[in-house]
Amino acid sequence: MSEPLIVTLGCRLNTYESEVMRRHASDAGLDDCIIVNTCAVTAEAVRQAEQTIRRLRRERPGARLVVTGCAAQIEPERFAEMAGVDHVIGNAEKLAPETFKALATDTLADVAVNDIMSVRETALHMIDGFGSRARAYLQIQNGCDHRCTFCIIPMGRGPSRSVPAGEVVAQARKLAEAGYPEIVLTGVDMTSYGADLPGSMSLGRLAKQILKHVPELPRLRLSSIDQVEADRHLIDVIASEERLMPHLHLSMQAGDDMILKRMKRRHLREDAIRFCNEVRRLRPDVVFGADLIAGFPTETEDMFERTLDIVDTCGLTYLHVFPYSPRKGTPAARMPQVARAAIKERAARLRAKGEAAHSSYLDRLAGRRTEILMEREDLGRTPQFAEVRIDRPVPVGTLQWATLGGNDGRRLNGMVDA
C-alpha cells in the first residue's frame, strides 16, 4: 500500500486546495489513491488533464483514481467516461471531509458534483504545512461574479464569496507562529474580496488588518489582482507597508480597447496605464506581472501590436501569456476566430517580449543588496519575486541579505552576506 498521491494542475488556489485534500485524505486513512486536481482555464489545460490522468493510470494500474477541480466541475461526464477513472468529485465536494470518509468506506457515488452556483459561503481550511517552509498560501476568497467572454472559470468556481476577515487574520497568525516568513493571499477574484461580507471590508482593508494584528509576519504577498477593483485602501497599503511585497500580478488580458470590450473586461487601456503609473509613483520599487491573451477572436495585427506595446508602456516584468483557445459554453467561442497559426505566432512574439523585459529588469539589479527568501538551500526570491541563485547553501525558509550579481536571463547570481 502507498500514500495518497495528489497531482495539482493550474493555479495557486488549486495548490492550496490540494493541501486541504491531502489532510482530509490522510485523516480518512485513504491509501493507494490518486487525486488529480484539474484546471479548466483553457482547452489546452483540459487536454493536459486528460493526458495526466491516462499517464497516472498506466503508472499505478491498481490505485483508485479520483478526478476533481474546475475541469471536473464543468464537464463531469467527460472525465467519468475516461477509462480508469473511479470517481469524479466537484469543487465544493473536494473540500469536505465527509467526501473522503465516503471514499474510504466505498460509499461515495461515482460522480459527486453538485451545483456550484448554489454555493454561497466559503470556509477557511486550516493548513499547517505546505511541503516547503518558504511560504504558505492562504485562501481568502473563491468564485467570481464577472462574466468575461473568454472565461469558463465562474462555472467551475461558482459565485464570489469571501472568508470573514477575523478567520483570515487568525490563520495568518497561526502560520506566522509556525515559522512561515511569507504568506501569499490567494483567490479566484481576490479584489472582489469583502463585497459579500457585512460592513465595508475589502482586500486593502484585509491586508492592513493582517499586517497590524500579525506584526511577527515578515512578508505578505498578493497573488493576482484586478487593477480596476483596487480601492484607495489597497493603494494605500501598497504605498505605505514595506512588509507587503512590491510585486503585483495584474489581470490585464489585452492592451487594445476594442478587444478589452469584446472580452467584457471592466477596464480600458488607459486605466491599466494609469494604475501602473500611480502605484509606481507611490512605491518606486514595485514590479508588475500580467496575464495577457494572444489571438483573442477578431484581434487584428494592429490590435495585437497594442497588447505588445503595453508591456513597455506599463513597464511589465513578468508575463503569463495565454494563446487564446475557445472554451465551449463561452461567448468568445462563438465570435469570429483568429487562425491558429497566427495565434501561435503572436503568443511567441509576446513571450519573447516578456523574456526581454524580464532580462532587462535583471540587468538593472546588478550590484544591489536585497533580502532574499530561501526556497531551496541555494535558491531564493527577492521581494519583487526575482529568482536568485546564491554562492553557498543556507537554510530553507530563512531570510538572507545578499548582493546581486550577473544573470543568465532567467535568474540572478547572489553573494550572501558573511
Side-chain angles (χ1 to χ4, degrees), residues 46-65:
V46 178
R47 190 191 69 79
Q48 288 178 358
E50 292 175 321
Q51 194 175 49
T52 299
I53 291 163
R54 285 191 287 267
R55 174 179 60 79
L56 290 166
R57 174 48 76 206
R58 288 195 303 271
E59 293 173 357
R60 298 263 297 267
R64 190 184 324 194
L65 202 155

Side-chain angles (χ1 to χ4, degrees), residues 51-327:
Q51 194 175 49
T52 299
I53 291 163
R54 285 191 287 267
R55 174 179 60 79
L56 290 166
R57 174 48 76 206
R58 288 195 303 271
E59 293 173 357
R60 298 263 297 267
R64 190 184 324 194
L65 202 155
V66 179
V67 181
T68 187
C70 287
Q73 176 70 46
I74 294 165
E75 299 181 90
E77 303 84 4
R78 178 173 182 167
F79 292 94
E81 291 168 2
M82 287 185 70
V85 171
D86 296 299
H87 296 277
V88 179
I89 61 176
N91 265 338
E93 290 74 20
K94 75 180 183 183
L95 301 177
E98 295 77 18
T99 300
F100 296 86
K101 291 173 185 173
L103 270 172
T105 56
D106 291 322
T107 56
L108 186 71
D110 291 347
V111 178
V113 180
N114 291 325
D115 178 14
I116 196 73
M117 302 309 290
S118 67
V119 179
R120 287 290 177 266
E121 293 181 352
T122 193
L124 184 65
H125 300 276
M126 304 294 275
I127 299 299
D128 298 313
F130 288 78
S132 164
R133 299 305 301 174
R135 62 176 57 85
Y137 297 102
L138 183 51
Q139 179 191 353
I140 65 167
Q141 181 272 342
N142 204 340
C144 184
D145 292 335
H146 307 305
R147 293 297 180 265
C148 298
T149 59
F150 56 84
C151 187
I152 197 74
I153 295 305
M155 300 301 105
R157 288 287 179 179
S160 180
R161 50 211 190 271
S162 309
V163 177
E167 294 181 29
V168 176
V169 171
Q171 172 70 337
R173 184 180 298 111
K174 183 177 179 181
L175 290 167
E177 289 171 351
Y180 286 98
E182 181 175 301
I183 292 174
V184 184
L185 301 184
T186 186
V188 174
D189 180 28
M190 274 221 308
T191 27
S192 70
Y193 176 84
D196 58 321
L197 297 176
S200 53
M201 184 50 64
S202 68
L203 178 61
R205 289 176 186 265
L206 177 68
K208 288 179 179 179
Q209 290 288 312
I210 293 170
L211 292 166
K212 176 182 177 181
H213 294 295
V214 193
E216 65 273 28
L217 176 67
R219 288 184 171 195
L220 181 66
R221 192 180 293 276
L222 306 178
S223 55
S224 181
I225 67 168
D226 195 337
Q227 64 273 6
V228 76
E229 292 181 319
D231 65 3
R232 62 182 181 85
H233 297 285
L234 184 57
I235 300 292
D236 179 57
V237 74
I238 292 167
S240 63
E241 278 285 0
E242 286 191 2
R243 289 188 295 147
L244 185 71
M245 294 296 95
H247 166 232
L248 300 176
H249 192 83
L250 309 178
S251 180
M252 194 174 288
Q253 311 305 349
D256 179 80
D257 283 348
M258 183 55 71
I259 292 298
L260 288 166
K261 288 177 181 177
R262 288 171 179 164
M263 287 177 167
K264 209 173 178 183
R265 300 294 296 164
R266 286 154 298 117
H267 75 275
L268 296 175
R269 176 187 177 87
E270 283 305 314
D271 298 322
I273 295 169
R274 189 182 309 112
F275 176 84
C276 291
N277 288 343
E278 173 70 359
V279 172
R280 190 173 279 114
R281 180 182 67 80
L282 295 167
R283 186 80 180 262
D285 62 339
V286 73
V287 299
F288 296 105
D291 294 332
L292 292 171
I293 296 173
F296 185 81
T298 77
E299 182 185 74
T300 64
E301 180 61 26
D302 285 347
M303 291 170 174
F304 172 71
E305 288 286 347
R306 290 178 69 74
T307 293
L308 207 59
D309 172 73
I310 208 165
V311 177
D312 292 330
T313 305
C314 283
L316 304 179
T317 299
Y318 305 100
L319 297 191
H320 287 178
V321 175
F322 296 89
Y324 174 78
S325 62
R327 293 294 284 116

